[in-house]
Amino acid sequence: MVVQGSQQGHVAQIIDGKAVAKTIRAQLKVDIDALVGKGHRRPGLAVVLAGDDAASALYVKNKIKACKEVGIESFFHKFDADITLEQLTACVQALSQQADDVDGILVQLPLPGRLPAEGVLQALSPEKDVDGLTTISMGRLLEGKPGLRPCTPSGVIELLKQNKVEISGKRAVVVGRSNLVGKPAALLLMQHNATVTVCHSKSEQLDEICRSADILVVAAGRKQFVKGSWVKPGACVIDVGIHHDKNEQGQSEICGDVEFAEASRVAAWITPVPGGVGPMTIAMLLSNTLTAYKMRKGVK
């Protein structure tokens, strides 16, 4: 099958998030070892996990492993699902205000259903907000002021830069409007001089909007939502979504928000799922932790 606007035999260049993340982690290890060699302590990242969500537990395990690889100290705070908002907030506040060896704090989302994420996140010091999700961090992003940026959108920008995809002056379309990805991705693209349109599942003529994009970032949270026929020939497609499913044979299958096979026959660049944006999220979390450490300690 060849979608409208595609060329027979054309295959997009794969944007390898694993390779870019590996390069970032290697440089972080060099930088951290150099700081330790000068007599400084290692940066510290505290991860707070509430509940028994299996996916969250796996993410936390991978983050702690990544910290060890680059030389960041990790502090794991695990709570049962019945923890109260007051108890969880008290933990975050103590890490923010009293733990001098903690430079970054990550509250693993989602929290158990009855706990409001916003209430917990706002107890977090912006200087240690390595996920860039507090109101102050988001405000700094909106105003273009220095601060810690959300990890996944930062990873999107880094993938574009590392693969020499021109951003300045280009038309970018972001499908999705979440505080976690969609909104900050749009702001970061604007800061890099892209002309940005933000749309979502309820946008009219969504296929036409997507087809106008030189850079198409899809964070809709819906399996294979964007079709190959929605992609402009020669565009760069960044698929932020990840969905675990079973195919007709009952085998485990992972896919994103974009119909990869069809889109790759049209796009010039495309991220795979898995192996695209996912590895970048952890890499940027580690990078943010080192940045927070340097800002707090006044070291370069």
Side-chain angles (χ1 to χ4, degrees):
M1 174 184 176
V2 179
V3 297
Q4 181 181 0
S6 66
Q7 297 179 3
Q8 186 70 37
H10 171 80
V11 179
Q13 178 179 328
I14 301 299
I15 295 178
D16 189 345
K18 288 183 179 179
V20 176
K22 183 178 180 180
T23 299
I24 291 172
R25 293 198 308 270
Q27 185 59 55
L28 287 171
K29 186 177 188 312
V30 170
D31 293 344
I32 291 169
D33 286 347
L35 287 168
V36 173
K38 294 178 182 177
H40 298 289
R41 67 165 175 80
R42 294 187 179 277
L45 173 67
V47 180
V48 179
L49 174 64
D52 302 306
D53 183 81
S56 291
L58 179 60
Y59 293 150
V60 167
K61 181 180 178 181
N62 289 337
K63 288 166 184 174
I64 291 174
K65 179 181 177 183
C67 282
K68 185 176 181 179
E69 288 177 359
V70 302
I72 292 175
E73 295 283 356
S74 58
F75 306 92
F76 184 33
H77 297 263
K78 172 72 170 69
F79 298 97
D80 294 333
D82 61 357
I83 188 173
T84 66
L85 177 62
E86 291 74 20
Q87 289 172 323
L88 193 56
T89 300
C91 172
V92 173
Q93 285 178 333
L95 290 170
S96 292
Q97 299 169 11
Q98 300 168 20
D100 190 55
D101 54 349
V102 171
D103 305 289
I105 303 169
L106 172 69
V107 178
Q108 182 65 43
L109 303 178
L111 294 173
R114 59 188 178 74
L115 293 174
E118 183 178 357
V120 177
L121 291 175
Q122 298 317 317
L124 210 166
S125 165
E127 283 65 40
K128 297 185 179 184
D129 177 23
V130 286
D131 229 0
L133 294 179
T134 63
T135 299
I136 291 176
S137 295
M138 294 292 280
R140 288 173 177 170
L141 171 59
L142 180 63
E143 294 185 354
K145 293 181 177 178
L148 298 168
R149 308 308 194 205
C151 298
T152 299
S154 296
V156 168
I157 298 297
E158 196 63 30
L159 282 178
L160 295 172
K161 288 181 176 179
Q162 291 291 331
N163 285 271
K164 296 181 170 55
V165 176
E166 185 65 41
I167 304 175
S168 182
K170 299 301 182 180
R171 182 178 296 277
V173 171
V174 178
V175 184
R177 50 183 170 172
S178 70
N179 290 339
L180 190 63
V181 181
K183 291 175 184 175
L187 290 167
L188 287 171
L189 285 163
M190 281 192 285
Q191 288 182 7
H192 286 79
N193 300 316
T195 300
V196 181
T197 299
V198 178
C199 50
H200 43 82
S201 60
K202 293 182 173 56
S203 298
E204 295 183 357
Q205 299 177 316
L206 180 56
D207 57 338
E208 293 185 15
I209 298 173
C210 290
R211 211 174 288 120
S212 72
D214 301 307
I215 299 170
L216 179 60
V217 179
V218 187
R222 296 174 63 174
K223 177 183 173 182
Q224 297 184 338
F225 179 62
V226 170
K227 313 305 177 187
S229 59
W230 296 13
V231 176
K232 176 182 178 180
C236 177
V237 179
I238 306 292
D239 189 348
V240 181
I242 185 164
H243 307 273
H244 297 264
D245 207 349
K246 292 187 181 296
N247 59 24
E248 294 177 356
Q249 290 73 39
Q251 298 169 322
S252 180
E253 192 174 65
I254 300 175
C255 64
D257 288 356
V258 178
E259 286 188 341
F260 178 84
E262 291 78 5
S264 64
R265 299 189 184 110
V266 186
W269 299 272
I270 192 168
T271 57
V273 178
V277 175
M280 294 300 296
T281 299
I282 294 181
M284 301 316 293
L285 171 68
L286 303 176
S287 179
N288 276 354
T289 301
L290 179 56
T291 298
Y293 167 87
K294 288 180 176 180
M295 289 191 302
R296 292 185 67 240
K297 308 306 286 186
V299 299
K300 295 184 179 179

